[in-house]
Amino acid sequence: MTHVWIRAESYPSERRAPVTPEDAATLIGEGLTVTVERSPMRCFADDEYERAGCRLAEPHTWAAASADTFILGLKALPDNDEPLTGRHIYFAHAYKGQNGSGQLLERFQAGNGEILDLEYLVDDNGRRLAAFGYWAGYIGAALAVQHASGQLETPLTATSRAELDNRLLQANTDRLTAVVIGALGRCGRGAADALTHSRVAVTRWDIEQTRDLDREALLDHDILINAVATTEPADPFLTTSHLKPGARLSTVADITCDVGSPQHLLPLYEDLTTWERPLLHVGHVDRPLTVIAIDNLPSLLPRESSADFSSQLTPHLPQLSDGAPWKRARSAYAHAIDQGATT
């Protein structure tokens, strides 16, 4: 019997869930066992899971689960030097040379554990099967619009889509323009939808437009939304050397947040921003460029984004033992371990 253990998140401000109570009930109906750690931060209450038939456990007790249990989460595991055992399903951000990735892989290797990275849960064509991309793009663009129009309130707090959309309608966006790079993907579509709802003039760029990038045209927008994720090193879209005092560009929302990686396409900044401090100023002192680079944007709309993600992930969880997408995720982990062993 497949046992899925949904852990409490330890990442600050994380309020999402990988599986909703309703979808957990579906899994239980299909014969899976579902354990859920209690969490005061999660957007769904503990008793919602209990009513769905889940077992409840105390926070951060997943290490005591049996070896054949699948530990399911979203963000980073607690940061320490202890070896990691068991099978962990989450966004590890450890296969592109990100900061701390080497140490994390060493911990899994030392504990004979395994990562089934949700970023590498893909179909036969390499398309991701479960992603928060749409909501990451939507919220990132919404924050950029609010900042560019002088109406962003900080620190940020979780909200609902209705409330967020109402704020966008109240923003003064008459003269704002924006360019979305990676506009045809999930993230890019979400960003474009938020900008359209905000009445911002949107330029949509994708592979054709970035193959021979026109940086002058890029800098001639008020807002830049980067929705491009790449697995290979590439020429950056912007560095500090490209910034000019007279450029129109004032706000950048980097949805990808590949800081510390060779795949970082906007290396004009190297520090993530947070809910408490969402804005980072770079470039010229007389007219600095503001960067928004929050790596858990969908948590600002936790219920909407969780429901969307859960609906994508849940159908694949009954096939954890032998499903082709999970085999590909295992292969990605094995490749990362092999690469680490040879560097």
Side-chain angles (χ1 to χ4, degrees):
M1 181 180 293
T2 300
H3 185 184
V4 176
W5 184 298
I6 301 174
R7 60 177 169 85
E9 299 290 336
S10 56
Y11 196 82
S13 71
E14 186 52 69
R15 303 191 69 240
R16 293 172 292 174
V19 175
T20 65
E22 181 179 4
D23 288 338
T26 298
L27 292 172
I28 293 168
E30 294 183 18
L32 280 73
T33 298
V34 180
T35 296
V36 179
E37 291 185 353
R38 299 178 185 274
S39 172
M41 291 293 294
R42 192 184 292 123
C43 61
F44 302 105
D46 298 337
D47 60 5
E48 292 183 71
Y49 287 101
E50 190 170 32
R51 289 195 299 270
C54 301
R55 303 174 180 178
L56 293 187
E58 292 306 303
H60 315 303
T61 55
W62 49 263
S66 61
D68 60 350
T69 301
F70 292 92
I71 311 301
L72 175 59
L74 291 175
K75 298 296 288 184
L77 293 164
D79 186 14
N80 54 53
D81 295 327
E82 295 180 6
L84 286 163
T85 62
R87 296 176 286 186
H88 291 258
I89 306 168
Y90 74 116
F91 292 102
H93 302 301
Y95 299 172
K96 298 181 183 179
Q98 296 98 324
N99 292 335
S101 59
Q103 295 91 322
L104 178 65
L105 292 173
E106 287 173 3
R107 291 175 63 196
F108 269 97
Q109 195 169 18
N112 199 29
E114 182 180 53
I115 300 173
L116 298 175
D117 197 315
L118 288 164
E119 188 175 352
Y120 295 83
L121 183 69
V122 297
D123 64 15
D124 294 340
N125 298 314
R127 180 176 173 80
R128 285 174 59 179
L129 294 171
F132 284 98
Y134 179 87
W135 292 107
Y138 195 96
I139 298 163
L143 296 179
V145 168
Q146 291 178 77
H147 171 68
S149 62
Q151 295 180 265
L152 183 64
E153 297 181 2
T154 61
L156 305 178
T157 57
T159 186
S160 67
R161 181 176 183 178
E163 176 58 30
L164 180 61
D165 284 352
N166 184 54
R167 294 176 195 167
L168 294 179
L169 289 175
Q170 294 176 4
N172 181 12
T173 60
D174 291 345
R175 298 182 180 181
L176 290 180
T177 64
V179 56
V180 178
I181 307 181
L184 298 184
R186 285 190 186 101
C187 182
R189 291 198 304 271
D193 285 351
L195 293 165
T196 299
H197 181 77
S198 308
R199 306 176 306 277
V200 173
V202 186
T203 300
R204 294 170 172 84
W205 286 1
D206 211 81
I207 295 174
E208 287 298 319
Q209 292 79 15
T210 55
R211 186 175 289 116
D212 186 17
L213 188 67
D214 185 347
R215 289 192 177 86
E216 291 294 329
L218 187 155
L219 291 166
D220 196 31
H221 293 80
D222 298 289
I223 297 170
L224 163 63
I225 310 294
N226 175 39
V228 175
T230 179
T231 58
E232 300 292 335
D235 290 336
F237 296 146
L238 278 183
T239 68
T240 52
S241 65
H242 298 127
L243 301 181
K244 299 179 179 180
R248 182 172 182 174
L249 185 66
S250 64
T251 305
V252 171
D254 188 5
I255 314 302
T256 307
C257 294
D258 268 333
V259 172
S261 160
Q263 288 80 28
H264 190 21
L265 295 175
L266 291 171
L268 47 81
Y269 79 98
E270 292 298 337
D271 294 305
L272 294 174
T273 62
T274 65
W275 289 28
E276 292 75 23
R277 297 181 178 178
L279 308 177
L280 177 67
H281 304 298
V282 300
H284 297 279
V285 175
D286 58 337
R287 193 173 186 272
L289 182 67
T290 299
V291 174
I292 299 170
I294 299 171
D295 65 355
N296 68 332
L297 283 168
S299 195
L300 287 161
L301 288 183
R303 293 187 75 94
E304 291 90 342
S305 62
S306 295
D308 184 26
F309 183 83
S310 178
S311 70
Q312 300 170 56
L313 178 64
T314 298
H316 301 286
L317 292 175
Q319 291 82 46
L320 270 166
S321 296
D322 57 5
W326 298 108
K327 290 179 180 178
R328 283 188 280 268
R330 288 187 178 91
S331 295
Y333 171 70
H335 178 72
I337 291 295
D338 288 344
Q339 289 294 104
T342 58
T343 55

